[in-house]
């Protein structure tokens, strides 16, 4: 049995319907968010300065002209908050009140692209690629673009690991996050190479300036960080104004007007909010209208001057949050480590094992996310036993056991089988731990010292989380190794079923007369 592979498995580059926009801000004494006067304090939102006040004013005026908001009676408005821009309550707002309604005519989605001058070129492209091209073309048009007021408030970068240079990426050496980040960037590069050759270069007259790979990566990062769940994949859409809403957790570095870092804060704002999608919905604009609108509600009571926020990405790990948004959650249950197992094609029982796996909802390759403080995923041990099955245990692969083999795999099969899975998993843990440049203890000292800066703080938190999980996995299988002599295996269970084992565990023989 080969070593398990500890690799990321999520298709982090396909913009599947999993996410929502940026994270959040600071609590005041009343439990809301302090709003910072943009003229007095400049703020860095994960590596990017907030837009100038004039750009925000132009954006708000644009939204008003489009009929999406009423400048005189708006419930919320864009406002400067410690981490950049947010939606700020203009009065006390009760729970579940609608605060934003954005018509589909103001969304940037596949229909927007199709109706544009480059629409005919984008019909066969992935939705995110088509929208990325649209964003970059409109951005290059500058004030000539009807979307300029919105594009002008988008950050130039974030603290997502997608935008880390090589030196900063070295801080996550050995992590699954590094593998995922490199995989995502490679994917973006391959898509760019393809679209550059097939669309951009043959149609230079439609693109006012050259589009580079960094430009394309920026567009990918904006889409990944700002699209709400259910508005991804084939339904990918950006919703101006609504995408200023924050998540319940964020990392913020506040700066004074001289742009010197003065403090770093990591706060959980709304642990009581446990549902994401109840805060927003897509519905018809009216009884006799077919136009859709994006409707956003406040999930909690807000006082005037506080920032609107919702919970999102509750199922995401810290590695996912770091990749998408450039922040991490301090709660240990956000740390996850993916164990990748596979049935080798060189296995003499490959066909039988694959058939059994597929009959039980698994495949040739299976991914198991181990979460800090949680037990092992329930299907992990049976799959491990299946992969390791061989020798005298291979009789369980015979067709007569096909309908019951998984039940047998949910319990220890044999001492040899159980010993094998313990050994290979522990070896894999040791190998993975050797790939990091620091120990847990060294990283914890760095965290205690503080003042790490935004990106190093993310890197250290990710490293510590992954290494603790590797220790957790190793401890679980070390404990299992120590219990091997006391476990009950298939043969003992079978003898008991046949009534051939006594109360003390002795084997009973009947002699014929």
């Amino acid at each position: 049995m080969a070593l398990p592979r500890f690799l990321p498995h999520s298709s982090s580059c396909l913009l599947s319907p999993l996410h929502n926009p940026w994270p959040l801000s600071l609590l005041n004494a009343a439990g809301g968010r302090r709003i910072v006067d943009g003229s007095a304090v400049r703020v860095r939102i994960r590596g990017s300065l907030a837009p100038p006040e004039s750009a925000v004013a132009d954006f708000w005026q644009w939204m008003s002209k489009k009929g999406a908001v009423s400048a005189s009676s708006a419930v919320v408005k864009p406002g400067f908050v410690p981490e950049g821009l947010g939606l700020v309550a203009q009065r006390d707002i009760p729970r579940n009140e609608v605060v934003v309604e954005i018509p589909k005519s103001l969304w940037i989605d596949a229909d927007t692209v199709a109706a544009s001058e480059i629409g005919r070129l984008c019909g066969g492209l992935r939705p995110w690629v088509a929208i990325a091209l649209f964003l970059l073309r409109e951005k290059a048009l500058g004030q000539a673009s009807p979307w300029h007021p919105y594009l002008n408030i988008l950050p130039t970068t974030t603290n997502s690991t997608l935008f880390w240079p090589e030196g900063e990426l070295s801080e996550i050496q050995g992590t699954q996050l590094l593998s995922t980040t490199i995989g995502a960037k490679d994917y973006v590069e391959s898509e760019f190479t393809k679209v550059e050759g097939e669309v951009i270069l043959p149609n230079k007259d439609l693109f006012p300036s050259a589009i580079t790979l960094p430009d394309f990566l920026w567009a990918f990062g904006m889409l990944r960080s700002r699209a709400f769940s259910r508005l991804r994949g084939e339904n990918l859409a950006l919703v101006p104004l609504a995408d200023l809403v924050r998540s319940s957790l964020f990392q913020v570095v506040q700066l004074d007007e001289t742009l010197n870092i003065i403090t770093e804060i990591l706060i959980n704002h709304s642990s009581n909010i446990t549902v994401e999608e109840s805060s927003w919905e897509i519905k018809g604009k009216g009884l006799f209208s077919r136009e859709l609108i994006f409707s956003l509600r406040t999930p909690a009571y807000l006082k005037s001057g506080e920032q609107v926020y919702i919970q999102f990405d509750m199922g995401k790990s810290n590695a996912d949050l770091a990749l998408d948004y450039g922040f991490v959650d301090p709660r240990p249950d956000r740390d996850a480590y993916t164990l990748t197992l596979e049935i080798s094609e060189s296995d003499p029982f490959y066909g039988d094992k694959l058939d059994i796996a597929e009959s039980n909802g698994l495949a040739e390759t299976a991914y198991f996310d181990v979460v800090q403080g949680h037990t092992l995923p329930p299907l992990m041990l049976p799959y491990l036993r299946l992969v390791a099955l061989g020798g005298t245990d291979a009789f369980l692969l015979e067709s007569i056991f096909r309908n019951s083999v998984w039940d047998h795999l949910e319990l220890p099969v044999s001492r040899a089988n159980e010993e094998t899975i313990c050994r290979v998993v522990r070896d894999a843990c040791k190998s993975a731990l050797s790939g990091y440049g620091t120990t847990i203890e060294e990283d914890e000292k760095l965290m205690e010292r503080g003042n790490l800066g935004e990106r190093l703080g993310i890197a250290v938190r990710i490293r510590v989380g992954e290494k603790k999980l590797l220790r957790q996995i190793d401890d679980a299988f070390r404990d299992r190794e120590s219990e091997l002599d006391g476990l009950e295996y298939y043969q003992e269970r079978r003898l008991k079923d046949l009534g051939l084992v006594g109360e003390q565990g002795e084997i009973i023989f009947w002699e014929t007369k």
Side-chain angles (χ1 to χ4, degrees):
M1 178 180 175
L3 287 179
R5 291 183 294 131
F6 286 166
L7 298 172
H9 73 275
S10 58
S11 185
S12 58
C13 28
L14 299 182
L15 289 167
S16 54
L18 294 173
H19 303 336
N20 172 307
W22 296 350
L24 300 192
S25 73
L26 302 172
L27 285 174
N28 61 22
R33 287 170 179 70
R34 287 198 297 267
I35 305 305
V36 177
D37 179 1
S39 62
V41 179
R42 296 287 284 172
V43 289
R44 183 186 294 271
I45 174 166
R46 295 183 300 285
S48 174
L49 288 177
E53 289 183 58
S54 58
V56 178
D58 289 344
F59 169 66
W60 183 245
Q61 186 178 20
W62 177 73
M63 293 294 292
S64 300
K65 286 182 178 178
K66 294 291 184 179
V69 297
S70 169
S72 59
S73 60
V75 179
V76 296
K77 289 183 178 180
F80 288 96
V81 294
E83 73 280 17
L85 278 181
L87 288 181
V88 179
Q90 301 302 295
R91 60 168 170 79
D92 292 356
I93 305 175
R95 181 176 178 270
N96 281 334
E97 179 172 335
V98 174
V99 294
V100 168
E101 288 191 331
I102 308 298
K104 190 177 185 298
S105 59
L106 281 179
W107 304 1
I108 297 179
D109 61 5
D111 292 336
T112 311
V113 179
S116 73
E117 290 187 58
I118 62 170
R120 62 181 177 82
L121 307 175
C122 300
L125 301 178
R126 297 179 189 273
W128 82 262
V129 174
I131 296 174
L133 282 180
F134 176 84
L135 289 178
L136 292 170
R137 181 179 186 274
E138 295 299 314
K139 193 171 178 64
L141 289 172
Q143 294 188 7
S145 168
W147 296 93
H148 173 71
Y150 171 63
L151 298 176
N152 202 33
I153 67 166
L154 296 182
T156 56
T157 186
T158 74
N159 273 339
S160 161
T161 52
L162 289 170
F163 302 114
W164 291 18
E166 240 180 85
E168 290 176 338
L169 285 175
S170 68
E171 296 293 345
I172 52 173
Q173 173 189 331
T175 65
Q176 292 190 326
L177 173 58
L178 178 60
S179 300
T180 305
T181 301
I182 292 173
K185 293 178 77 169
D186 286 347
Y187 171 76
V188 172
E189 183 174 1
S190 69
E191 289 296 314
F192 173 71
T193 300
K194 181 180 177 182
V195 79
E196 182 184 39
E198 296 179 359
V199 176
I200 299 172
L201 294 180
N203 299 280
K204 288 184 178 180
D205 56 313
L206 290 176
F207 296 94
S209 63
I211 295 176
T212 65
L213 176 57
D215 296 331
F216 203 63
L217 185 64
W218 171 84
F220 175 82
M222 292 302 102
L223 292 171
R224 189 148 187 88
S225 65
R226 302 182 75 86
F228 288 81
S229 58
R230 294 212 323 267
L231 291 179
R232 284 178 169 265
E234 295 298 316
N235 299 315
L236 179 64
L238 293 179
V239 185
L241 187 65
D243 62 2
L244 294 182
V245 72
R246 308 293 185 187
S247 170
S248 64
L249 188 84
F250 71 99
Q251 185 172 29
V252 58
V253 175
Q254 185 176 329
L255 302 157
D256 63 14
E257 58 269 24
T258 62
L259 302 186
N260 294 318
I261 294 176
I262 57 176
T263 184
E264 181 175 359
I265 305 168
L266 187 63
I267 297 176
N268 178 16
H269 281 281
S270 56
S271 57
N272 60 316
I273 297 176
T274 57
V275 179
E276 172 189 345
E277 298 197 359
S278 63
S279 300
W280 62 273
E281 63 178 331
I282 297 169
K283 61 183 183 180
K285 188 173 183 179
L287 187 62
F288 301 106
S289 174
R290 293 184 178 181
E291 185 176 15
L292 298 177
I293 61 171
F294 180 97
S295 179
L296 179 69
R297 298 174 179 269
T298 56
Y301 168 77
L302 288 178
K303 290 185 177 181
S304 179
E306 292 178 355
Q307 186 183 178
V308 180
Y309 63 92
I310 65 172
Q311 176 68 277
F312 63 77
D313 285 346
M314 293 185 294
K316 285 297 187 181
S317 71
N318 267 331
D320 295 323
L321 295 176
L323 178 70
D324 291 345
Y325 309 113
F327 76 101
V328 289
D329 188 328
R331 293 175 296 182
D333 61 359
R334 282 282 196 176
D335 293 325
Y337 201 92
T338 301
L339 173 62
T340 304
L341 303 174
E342 65 180 6
I343 303 167
S344 172
E345 290 187 9
S346 62
D347 191 315
F349 306 106
Y350 171 78
D352 292 321
K353 290 182 178 181
L354 180 58
D355 181 48
I356 292 167
E358 291 178 341
S359 298
N360 289 277
L362 296 167
E364 178 181 359
T365 303
Y367 308 99
F368 300 98
D369 291 333
V370 182
V371 179
Q372 196 168 138
H374 291 222
T375 57
L376 296 174
L379 295 179
M380 181 174 156
L381 281 175
Y383 193 89
L384 271 168
R385 292 178 183 126
L386 175 65
V387 172
L389 209 62
T392 57
D393 298 323
F395 71 92
L396 286 173
L397 298 172
E398 295 176 7
S399 58
I400 60 170
F401 290 100
R402 196 52 47 98
N403 294 328
S404 60
V405 63
W406 197 260
D407 293 335
H408 296 308
L409 293 171
E410 288 182 338
L411 297 169
V413 174
S414 69
R415 194 185 197 287
N417 182 271
E418 206 73 8
E419 191 172 29
T420 297
I421 66 174
C422 290
R423 173 177 51 80
V424 296
V425 171
R426 294 199 66 194
D427 286 348
C429 287
K430 290 182 178 66
S431 176
L433 282 167
S434 69
Y436 296 90
T438 57
T439 65
I440 292 177
E441 293 71 25
E442 288 170 339
D443 283 339
E444 286 180 334
K445 284 182 180 178
L446 285 173
M447 294 171 69
E448 289 172 8
R449 191 180 69 192
N451 299 320
L452 297 179
E454 295 173 280
R455 293 184 176 180
L456 180 56
I458 292 169
V460 173
R461 183 67 185 81
I462 290 292
R463 290 184 332 223
V464 168
E466 287 197 8
K467 285 179 281 194
K468 284 185 175 180
L469 277 163
L470 284 167
R471 277 192 183 177
Q472 177 178 310
I473 297 169
D474 183 62
D475 288 347
F477 283 89
R478 180 200 62 206
D479 293 344
R480 195 156 195 85
E481 273 184 327
S482 68
E483 299 169 352
L484 291 179
D485 290 336
L487 296 178
E488 185 178 72
Y489 300 105
Y490 172 81
Q491 294 293 357
E492 287 86 350
R493 294 194 300 274
R494 181 59 177 158
L495 289 173
K496 277 187 178 180
D497 291 343
L498 295 173
L500 298 179
V501 176
E503 294 181 1
Q504 304 302 318
E506 74 280 9
I507 298 177
I508 302 171
F509 296 95
W510 283 272
E511 295 183 2
T512 57
K513 294 183 179 180

